Amino acid sequence: MRPIVLSGFMATGKSTVGPALAARLGVAFVDTDAEIEKATGKRIPDLWRQEGEAAFRAREAALVERLFAEGSAGVIAFGGGTVTVKRTRRLALDRAVVVTLTASPETIVARVPDVAARPNLAVGGDPVARAAELLETRAEAYAECHLSLSSEGLDPEAIVDAVVALAQRDPVAVPLGGRSYAIDVCDGDPTRLTDAVAQLAPSSVVLVTDSNVQRARGPFIEAALHPLAIEGTRVTLPPGERHKTLASASTIWDAALGAGVDRDALVLAVGGGVVGDLAGFAASVLLRGVRFLQVPTTLLAMVDASVGGKTGFDHPAGKNLVGAFHQPSGVVVDLQHLDTLPKRERLCGLAEIAKIALATDAALLARLERDAAALARGDHGVLGPVVRGAIEAKVRVVRDDERESGRRALLNLGHTVGHALEAHGSYTRWLHGEAVALGTVAEMRAGEALGFTSKALVERAEALLTTLGLPTKVEHAELAASWPFVASDKKRVHGAVRLPVVTGPGQARLEKVPLAALRRALAV
């Protein structure tokens, strides 16, 4: 079990819950404020006055880094402003399960016995107003956590119960300020979906799936939703990329509006990337935006499409040319869904994992190469850690570039050519992951021709994709016929395309490549 960090404003219960939680788990408890006082021989208010906030935050950051490096603390209570330092906050999210405890400004002030001893709260003479001001200032930082819990109306033992349950699940946090959410990874546990929906407390649920998923996973969905007794509407779409259209999105809107949903409704997307993209887009504009929850049932959707908030649909001019960024309120990844997935579909997801590894994560790439044969067989024992690793790798990119203005575009490796092959084949010749595998090899060979990628690295990528059971060679005539779709790619700017080029194992950068130069490099 990873360490647990309790964060939140002063007087929200960290020093009360922390020792009880540590005792329950049988681990050591550390309060960072107490540690700093012990190390300096000075009280926090005195340090604050003498050194100022910047120096104090530096002390906190150094202490947090040391605690994680030593690994001896099982539960750590942060000071009220510790997570306002981005590097410290991100380190905690990477190394621990972070829980933010909350309370109202009035409750906070009522719990503080001596406001004068809290220099940051005493500013201005109105401690309630000051608490409200600081809470608003810190809201984005506090929201970046695995779980937020109010300490009002819950006794410490109930909070401990909730935190222990969270730590056992060990979700992946996607830290995007107020749009943050958690990704739960499990294997055969419908209660994870039950809990995720219950936590969001929707007024109603609009369940969006397709006929294949309904047939294969209908009982699982019913088992998860039945205990909630929430009013619901079901939308079952025809399966396949060729149905990723505005008409399908309109079907979702018609059903939701016909059921009279309000802005507290939840769109629940249960399916592959097509269902997730369509349901997410429908949610992004329904009543000018409602929440949605992703339940990916394909490997490709688990590691890629469900993470990061890209939504949309296809257009005759190309794939995913119309859409929006709309982050889900959560993602539940259950590997059991893969047991009913055709082998060809399952292998497609491995292409996206390989893409993420080649572009951003050398350790994941090495793991893929080591376990390629077992992954191709669908071994859950090997697949589980790889799925989590791929999700974490993507999160590290998305958290710093939510709207793809920079580094996130590295995750488009293989997609410029891949999308073109899909569109040329009318979304029936190649599945998305197969097209990505073909596109990855083609783009890396183009990168070699342009002087960015070594021949050895291209051969390494091709060997990996082959062992994973994916296609790596496309007929020259087909590639040439797909070129018009490359020329209309949504990433093009002034006659050039931002192309991810792999420069080393797990290393890539973006290059603005003129379309004419890319065409020559692809030899089409």
Side-chain angles (χ1 to χ4, degrees), residues 271-290:
V274 171
V275 167
D277 281 8
L278 284 169
F281 179 74
S284 74
V285 294
L286 178 63
L287 302 179
R288 295 200 172 123
V290 300

Side-chain angles (χ1 to χ4, degrees), residues 202-245:
S203 57
S204 62
V205 171
V206 180
L207 170 63
V208 182
T209 186
D210 68 33
S211 56
N212 286 344
V213 174
Q214 177 58 36
R215 200 162 37 245
R217 303 303 294 161
F220 180 97
I221 300 168
E222 295 301 327
L225 297 182
H226 180 72
L228 298 172
I230 297 174
E231 183 179 343
T233 301
R234 184 187 300 272
V235 181
T236 304
L237 301 171
E241 187 77 30
R242 66 185 180 278
H243 298 292
K244 190 178 176 182
T245 62

Side-chain angles (χ1 to χ4, degrees), residues 1 4 21 24-25 159-169:
M1 185 180 291
I4 298 169
L21 176 61
R24 173 84 68 87
L25 296 174
I159 296 175
V160 168
D161 290 342
V163 175
V164 170
L166 173 75
Q168 290 171 341
R169 296 203 318 268

